[in-house]
Amino acid sequence: MAHPASADPGRFVWHENMTPDLEGSTFFYTRLFGWSTRTMDMGPDGPYTVFQNGGVDVGGLWKVDAAQASRASWIAYATVPDVDTAAAAIPELGGEILTPPTDVPGVGRFAMLRDPHGAVISPFRFGEEAPPRPVGSYPVGSVCWNELVVPDPDEAVRFYTEIFGWTARQRELTGIGDYRILQRGGKDAAGVRRPPAGAPCPAGWMIYIRVDD
């Protein structure tokens, strides 16, 4: 039986920094946001660094080979009712499966995909236990928004609404222009925008962290 949280698709539940420089990324984010770290033993996969904000886990840090990724990037994990069903639909929608559906013992099941423009995201389903849903406003030091930067928002909306069950609405934002808002159950979940004019910005997901100033 699927975990009840899987009936709540499209919820961002984890963020992971994939970096070729573990020490550099740890130094940068702990100094910038005041995060602390703890280490988890992932068995044959080695240690896994978890960022904490006031003792609460807010994200992970995973070292990748510099030959595979010359720059660090954030990967968002969002819930789906069934990871295998989501993964099966990805090639038909023009995406690519980077990591096939995989179980993380005691945590859940995930896959990693690349959308038609090259942005990477992970569909995820909790296992037996899931952390409680956050209630109220986002505390300082936590992720408060997710945003997809992509050259073709229309195609991106078609792809992501199919995979994660989001709906979309459109609005104009000063300084940005056409902006799409992905919604989950009628509530805003993420944004979709084009890269800033003239900026060498590859397609990808950005995360916003709340700060005091």
Side-chain angles (χ1 to χ4, degrees):
M1 179 179 295
H3 192 280
S6 66
D8 185 23
R11 183 162 67 95
F12 288 94
V13 293
W14 192 244
H15 298 84
E16 192 171 73
N17 187 248
M18 312 288 281
T19 176
D21 182 0
L22 194 65
E23 292 184 0
S25 292
T26 300
F27 177 84
F28 180 84
Y29 288 106
T30 55
R31 298 306 189 279
L32 182 64
F33 296 121
W35 289 341
S36 58
T37 61
R38 68 181 182 91
T39 302
M40 294 176 59
D41 182 7
M42 300 297 287
D45 291 326
Y48 182 75
T49 300
V50 177
F51 285 124
Q52 291 193 305
N53 181 49
V56 177
D57 295 347
V58 292
L61 190 62
W62 190 255
K63 186 171 184 179
V64 294
D65 193 311
Q68 297 175 316
S70 59
R71 64 183 183 89
S73 62
W74 282 94
I75 308 296
Y77 288 64
T79 54
V80 293
D82 188 289
V83 174
D84 295 78
T85 299
I90 290 166
E92 298 176 8
L93 295 170
E96 177 186 0
I97 299 172
L98 302 179
T99 302
T102 303
D103 287 322
V104 180
V107 178
R109 188 169 177 82
F110 81 102
M112 194 168 292
L113 67 89
R114 179 182 287 129
D115 75 12
H117 296 102
V120 177
I121 194 171
S122 179
F124 177 81
R125 181 179 66 80
F126 284 109
E128 293 300 319
E129 296 184 9
R133 294 180 177 88
V135 177
S137 62
Y138 299 99
V140 170
S142 67
V143 177
C144 60
W145 189 241
N146 295 268
E147 188 176 78
L148 175 66
V149 180
V150 69
D152 187 343
D154 287 330
E155 184 177 3
V157 165
R158 285 192 292 270
F159 180 86
Y160 285 100
T161 53
E162 186 70 25
I163 297 296
F164 294 103
W166 290 319
T167 57
R169 65 184 180 93
Q170 185 173 345
R171 63 177 299 187
E172 290 290 319
L173 293 183
T174 302
I176 294 178
D178 181 22
Y179 196 79
R180 313 299 170 87
I181 298 177
L182 300 172
Q183 293 189 304
R184 180 179 60 85
K187 296 182 178 181
D188 296 349
V192 182
R193 60 166 293 176
R194 289 184 175 86
C201 184
W205 282 90
M206 296 196 305
I207 62 172
Y208 287 63
I209 311 295
R210 184 182 172 189
V211 296
D212 274 322
D213 190 327

